[in-house]
Amino acid sequence: MRAPLRSPPGPGAGGHHQVLFALAECLPFALALLVLLVELTPAHVLYTGPLLVATPALAAVTMGPKGTLAATGVAVGVSVVTATHNHAWGGQQVYTNFLALFLVSAASLMTSSTARTRRENELNQVRRIATAAQDVLLRPVPSRLGGVRAASLYLAAESGAQIGGDLYEAVKTRYGIRMIVGDVRGKGLPAVRAAAIVLGAFRESVHYEDDLVEVVNHCEAALRRDALVAGALAGAGDGDDTLLEAFVTVVVVQIPDGSPHVEVVNRGHPPPLVQRDGSVRFLMPATPLPPLGLAEFISGPPGRVDRHPFAPGDRLLLYTDGVIEARDRDGAFFDLSEAMASMRDRTPEEFLEGLRQALLRHTRGALADDVAVILVDRCEDEGHE
């Protein structure tokens, strides 16, 4: 998620590195062009052979096998043109340059191919580890939980990423079905750590706390304990200061068995959506509360449970702000309530697949933030699994 008060991003180190990398990719071709200009002007008395031979080696550093092959082709073409223009065919120097170019190109291609294979193997290993971590941290919700049918969706904004700072869980307990969807401020490993802490506290407390507010308080306490540990480590010089600034927006929901209501505790999170008889409405909190980790800003009671009608045949949607803040090229936000209304006759699995496709179409495949969603339908045959 994004911090509520964050200045527009400026050109940071990442953008600077990208510019340098792009310049490095252009260097071999710029060098070949320089050689061509020198050889086609009166300055051709300068010996440019070593510069041309270096182009495949430079390309191998940044562009991989295809780029190295392209740089080799350019270098060979420049050599042929300059040798013809300067009537140098038959001289020993020309053939020496071609031999050197061939040897350097062959070595550069082998080096580039080996490096790419090693990087791909390392990336595949990282993806396998990320997938295993996701299976532990973000388990797909069961398709049937007591009197509801459910489905979950997670989409990572980063290409190749499997897990981030969004979290969700749905558990059947003696108090009914309890669910959480949340979003951690920030990115990277600190965000994943905060998500794991909140989920661990939720999964433990939902089974013995009858008060939904107390479940949320357990998550808050776990987050604060970790912040204290991180603060102690940071004081010793071994910690990460970003852990001290973590806060998590969450919405925790309970669907009691046999009661036509849904109970909600919202801590700074986008409100759930309920669909009933074709109409869609937001379940706004009666008293807005700050996210987990910012309890010191609560001036009144520590929280309360809001109750809303949720009868058999109704549909409930929990989501993170990556859905409603998704923009198209014109800057228009994704209309989640309209999407929900247009897919009211679909099963939970079909709905989430349609939502995934709609989001990717809206953003042209460029999500700005991670997406986590839980959809539940209250069954007409509640109580019969």
Side-chain angles (χ1 to χ4, degrees):
M1 86 176 250
R2 286 165 173 70
L5 299 175
R6 178 176 293 184
S7 57
H16 182 64
H17 291 160
Q18 288 180 354
V19 171
L20 291 178
F21 190 80
L23 291 175
E25 287 184 329
C26 296
L27 183 59
F29 302 101
L31 198 60
L33 179 61
L34 176 63
V35 170
L36 184 63
L37 292 176
V38 170
E39 292 291 339
L40 297 182
T41 63
H44 69 84
V45 293
L46 298 174
Y47 183 45
T48 59
L51 294 177
L52 204 58
V53 169
T55 55
L58 291 173
V61 175
T62 56
M63 291 192 291
K66 290 184 179 180
T68 303
L69 194 59
T72 299
V74 170
V76 170
V78 170
S79 297
V80 171
V81 169
T82 56
T84 303
H85 178 76
N86 295 322
H87 306 288
W89 291 108
Q92 182 179 1
Q93 190 177 73
V94 171
Y95 296 111
T96 300
N97 288 342
F98 271 107
L99 177 60
L101 183 60
F102 171 77
L103 293 175
V104 172
S105 298
S108 299
L109 280 170
M110 287 189 293
T111 301
S112 180
S113 298
T114 302
R116 168 158 289 190
T117 300
R118 184 172 63 250
R119 286 195 299 268
E120 288 178 350
N121 290 338
E122 291 173 351
L123 180 59
N124 288 335
Q125 183 178 8
V126 169
R127 284 174 174 166
R128 287 194 295 271
I129 294 172
T131 300
Q134 185 183 38
D135 290 341
V136 174
L137 187 58
L138 296 180
R139 303 172 298 206
V141 304
S143 59
R144 184 71 185 251
L145 284 165
V148 304
R149 290 187 174 88
S152 60
L153 171 68
Y154 183 87
L155 291 176
E158 274 190 61
S159 177
Q162 297 289 332
I163 197 168
D166 286 9
L167 58 99
Y168 66 82
E169 181 63 287
V171 182
K172 187 179 187 302
T173 72
R174 54 180 172 169
Y175 309 108
I177 311 302
R178 288 180 163 180
M179 298 174 287
I180 184 173
V181 169
D183 193 351
V184 182
R185 174 190 182 272
K187 299 287 185 182
L189 291 178
V192 175
R193 175 174 171 174
I197 290 166
V198 172
L199 277 176
F202 174 81
R203 287 167 176 163
E204 179 184 3
S205 60
V206 289
H207 292 287
Y208 64 80
E209 286 291 352
D210 59 349
D211 187 347
L212 205 59
V213 173
E214 285 303 313
V215 173
V216 177
N217 290 342
H218 273 281
C219 297
E220 171 98 45
L223 199 63
R224 285 190 168 276
R225 283 195 302 270
D226 185 75
L228 291 174
V229 173
L233 292 175
D238 297 325
D240 188 339
D241 290 342
T242 57
L243 291 174
L244 305 178
E245 304 172 358
F247 64 79
V248 187
T249 69
V250 297
V251 59
V252 179
V253 172
Q254 176 173 291
I255 304 174
D257 295 332
S259 173
H261 294 89
V262 60
E263 299 174 356
V264 181
V265 177
N266 194 324
R267 293 291 297 271
H269 198 77
L273 278 167
V274 162
Q275 185 174 43
R276 166 178 282 188
D277 298 328
S279 64
V280 177
R281 68 183 183 93
F282 290 95
L283 302 184
M284 303 300 296
T287 304
L289 294 173
L292 302 183
L294 300 177
E296 62 269 20
F297 295 104
I298 299 178
S299 57
R304 54 164 292 180
V305 175
D306 295 320
R307 299 180 78 235
H308 305 274
F310 188 59
D314 293 350
R315 169 168 284 183
L316 177 69
L317 183 67
L318 312 178
Y319 56 93
T320 56
D321 59 5
V323 181
I324 56 175
E325 293 182 0
R327 297 175 183 247
D328 61 15
R329 288 188 173 180
D330 298 325
F333 290 109
F334 183 77
D335 192 336
L336 180 58
S337 57
E338 180 181 339
M340 189 174 182
S342 67
M343 296 186 286
R344 61 181 179 274
D345 296 327
R346 301 190 185 187
T347 66
E349 293 79 9
E350 293 171 345
F351 174 91
L352 292 185
E353 176 59 24
L355 179 62
R356 184 188 70 84
Q357 295 177 5
L359 277 170
L360 294 179
R361 280 197 306 270
H362 186 77
T363 61
R364 296 184 180 269
L367 287 171
D369 199 1
D370 296 345
V371 167
V373 179
I374 291 181
L375 181 74
V376 293
D377 287 348
R378 193 148 203 179
C379 305
E380 301 284 354
D381 58 341
E382 183 177 350
H384 299 85
E385 300 187 46

